[in-house]
Amino acid sequence: MTLLAVQDLHVEFATRGLDNRLRVAQALNGVSFTVAAGEVVGLVGETGAGKSLTALAAMGLLRPPARIPHGSIRFEGREIIGLSDRELEKIRGRRMAMIVQSPLTSLDPLKRIGDQLVRMQRVHDTAHGAAARTKAEAMLAAVRIPDPARRMRAWPHELSGGMAQRVLIAMALVNDPALIIADEPTTGLDVTVQAQVLDTLRDIVAARNLGALVITHDLGVVAHYCQRVAVMFAGRIVEDGPVREVFSRPSHPYTRALIDSTPGRIAQLGWTVTGGTPPDLYDLPQGCLYRDRCPRAATACLAAPPRIAVSGTHGAACHFAGEAA
Amino acid sequence: MTAVLAIQNLVHRFPGGVQAVNDVSFAIAPGETLGLVGESGSGKSTIGLLATRLLAPTQGRILFEGQDITRLSAATLRPLRARLQVVFQDPWGALNPRMTIGRLLEEPLRLHGGNLAEARLLAERVRLPLATLGRYPHELSGGQLQRVSIARAIANRPKLIVLDEPTSSLDLSVRAGILQLLEELQRETGVAMLFISHDLETVRLVSHRVAVLYLGRIVETGPAAALFETPGHPYTQTLLSAHLPPDPFVALRRHRVQGEIPSPINLPPGCFFAGRCPLALPACNAGPPAMQPLAPGQEAACLRIADRTNRLEPAEDPA
């Protein structure tokens, strides 16, 4: 069952520079993907590609000067673009919840962990009083926090980074949402802690048949925790498909460049990738946005490439996607 | 051959009782890259600051090109600084925002009377577009700024560059370009490097030898290939097994340990990893374990190595 369906989403920012001239940055340029119940979808790309912006749009959290001139975001079958804050509040934190990168700045430093978990339930009217406390403690246990009864009384500053991230996962899950959006959920954590937190998240998503959108720049997280992946470049999804298919047959030159930039591949292949800057979002070129950096660029690339199917479930927005790379 | 840098029994205690570095010794030869890996709180950045004498150690000795620099004053150190350079993780914080890139490159050259022409050569050397020389740091990308930092570090033909997480804030493809540049510079000039990072894959790619830190102590050291292929210390085994290779076809073989790195205040008398180690013996808590040889050039501080019972149980794929 499809939980989240984003279709041809555009987001732009109109800002005034020092010269008071209005300039428009086209930050998302036609993003489409879906997340179904029981699957973990990875959204991967470099800084400025629009990963976090996509997450914020899906959560209904965009505010002016951000504008959605075009596109659709359907959650559980319902269009959420244009919903009032009142209506969005019934969905956010309730049916869909977000986990962000910096756990310690996302917890209220003046409230005990248990009280914050209870408040989440009270605000959304899912449970109150003793029932809410019992649920809160059960959630801490579910995210494998040792001695949850004692941790209910802990202050945020008493938690390590890994523990704080687990508490944030518990907060996101306490109202039994259908969809989790995790924006770089383990980026600040040490490797051994990262592995434990990701295992916990994956097990809970599977056990409760949730859908999850995981935003990351780490191909290791995509490779081992996601079933499907969407690769973003300059506000577009340039390739999407099952993780194993995309890694074994990357069909967009940017996806290939990303994979070939990992140290393990450099050790095998040598220095094949030359970096470059993404296009100017204030002045987007026509056609393929990766053209300037692409080793395969040709005249055809002056026209915007459609998504070309590589298999029934795998596609890439490249004129040459069907051909052998 | 004299080591470019020799660190002997270094100890550093911060006020408040944090023991960040505990009896660390290593040496770096000319043309060599030593990778220093560890998780947060392992003391890797403190060692970088001590090695460049931006910090003075509590105990121990630091020898740079054979000269004891442990207690030299800032004024006596100054002439050495040209040959002992450092590049930090955050180039935005490391470069004066009010100077143009051209002036930032000229500044270190002035030590030997360099000029703008030399600054241009330097820019070309690190493949920085000449058009950037008139710009200010905020107008450049992170990758370009890190090239400026590296250019400044190599301006006076250093013997050693300490690189503290030099690519950690950069995107994958930009990171590859910086690593390639460092490798090239080392091949051309024979500069030695101390490469500090938490990124295991990057360290493996750039280092000749690697030292693994845990709570300010080196628990294992060896040639990069050997250490990554057959790690000996239970902590090294655990650390490497937690890494997520960017390849869905590589099965994970994870060793599970309990808990996180304990606080560096009130460290135990024995092996610092004993509290989390599935193989710990009563003797592990008696005193700091000595280094035991594992393979040529590879050694680890674990009592279990003596009778080769240091292997953690074959781990399961967590998926």
Side-chain angles (χ1 to χ4, degrees), chain A residues 178-208:
Chain A
L179 177 74
I180 295 282
I181 297 179
D183 190 356
E184 304 275 5
T186 55
T187 298
L189 304 178
D190 282 322
V191 265
T192 53
V193 183
Q194 160 174 301
Q196 295 163 3
V197 171
L198 287 171
D199 286 352
T200 305
L201 189 59
R202 185 209 36 221
D203 294 349
I204 288 176
V205 164
R208 297 171 180 232

Side-chain angles (χ1 to χ4, degrees), chain A residues 45-47 160-163 190-196 198-199 202 217-221 223-225 243-245 247-248 257-258 261-264 266-267 271 273-277 293, chain B residues 38-40 141 144 171-177 179-180 183 198-202 205 235 238-239 242-252 254 256-261 276 318-319:
Chain A
E46 303 194 350
T47 314
S160 66
M163 281 298 151
D190 282 322
V191 265
T192 53
V193 183
Q194 160 174 301
Q196 295 163 3
L198 287 171
D199 286 352
R202 185 209 36 221
H217 66 279
D218 185 340
L219 291 179
V221 172
H224 298 284
Y225 290 93
V243 166
R244 286 173 166 241
E245 272 191 51
F247 274 78
S248 56
L258 267 189
S261 310
T262 57
I266 293 172
W271 308 98
V273 176
T274 47
T277 45
R293 279 164 72 172
Chain B
E39 300 185 87
S40 33
S141 69
Q144 288 177 324
D171 280 321
L172 217 46
S173 60
V174 180
R175 177 179 303 181
L179 297 175
Q180 182 180 16
E183 192 195 73
H198 71 284
D199 180 348
L200 299 169
E201 289 218 339
T202 299
L205 178 68
Y235 174 66
T238 305
L239 182 70
H243 171 66
L244 300 172
D247 181 346
F249 299 98
V250 175
L252 300 180
R254 184 172 307 149
R256 286 173 196 277
V257 289
Q258 289 307 304
E260 299 175 25
I261 298 186
R276 298 170 72 194

Side-chain angles (χ1 to χ4, degrees), chain A residues 44-230:
Chain A
V44 70
E46 303 194 350
T47 314
K51 309 186 293 290
S52 294
L53 198 58
T54 303
L56 292 176
M59 291 288 291
L61 287 169
L62 292 185
R63 290 287 173 274
R67 221 174 66 82
I68 301 180
H70 189 73
S72 154
I73 302 169
R74 297 181 80 82
F75 175 67
E76 295 188 309
R78 183 181 181 200
E79 179 62 50
I80 67 158
I81 294 176
L83 285 189
S84 68
D85 272 343
R86 247 187 112 96
E87 288 167 306
L88 281 169
E89 294 299 345
K90 291 180 198 155
I91 301 174
R92 278 199 300 251
R94 174 70 189 87
R95 297 298 299 158
M96 66 162 111
M98 193 159 181
I99 301 166
V100 296
Q101 180 178 346
S102 49
L104 283 173
T105 54
S106 307
L107 294 167
D108 183 341
L110 300 178
K111 284 201 157 52
R112 294 178 195 271
I113 298 306
D115 294 342
Q116 299 194 43
L117 283 159
V118 166
R119 186 168 67 175
M120 268 300 277
Q121 300 170 74
R122 193 174 61 234
V123 166
H124 289 280
D125 201 23
T126 50
H128 298 268
R133 291 208 81 79
T134 310
K135 180 74 184 281
E137 201 177 309
M139 281 321 305
L140 291 181
V143 297
R144 297 180 202 143
I145 285 183
D147 200 355
R150 195 171 58 85
R151 286 293 177 184
M152 286 282 284
R153 296 188 49 74
W155 300 96
H157 74 264
E158 296 173 306
L159 303 174
S160 66
M163 281 298 151
Q165 195 57 283
R166 284 170 194 274
V167 168
L168 220 61
I169 296 173
M171 295 267 285
L173 291 168
V174 75
N175 290 320
D176 299 316
L179 177 74
I180 295 282
I181 297 179
D183 190 356
E184 304 275 5
T186 55
T187 298
L189 304 178
D190 282 322
V191 265
T192 53
V193 183
Q194 160 174 301
Q196 295 163 3
V197 171
L198 287 171
D199 286 352
T200 305
L201 189 59
R202 185 209 36 221
D203 294 349
I204 288 176
V205 164
R208 297 171 180 232
N209 198 36
L210 308 181
L213 179 66
V214 174
I215 292 166
T216 182
H217 66 279
D218 185 340
L219 291 179
V221 172
V222 172
H224 298 284
Y225 290 93
C226 301
Q227 283 101 50
R228 284 198 300 125
V229 60

Side-chain angles (χ1 to χ4, degrees), chain A residues 151 160-161 190 192-193 196, chain B residues 17-20 22 39-43 213-217 219 235 257-277 285:
Chain A
R151 286 293 177 184
S160 66
D190 282 322
T192 53
V193 183
Q196 295 163 3
Chain B
V18 172
Q19 182 122 359
N22 294 286
E39 300 185 87
S40 33
S42 63
L213 282 168
Y214 188 77
L215 281 172
R217 215 179 250 170
V219 296
Y235 174 66
V257 289
Q258 289 307 304
E260 299 175 25
I261 298 186
S263 147
I265 304 174
N266 288 327
L267 288 167
C271 170
F272 295 158
F273 190 59
R276 298 170 72 194
C277 182
N285 293 311

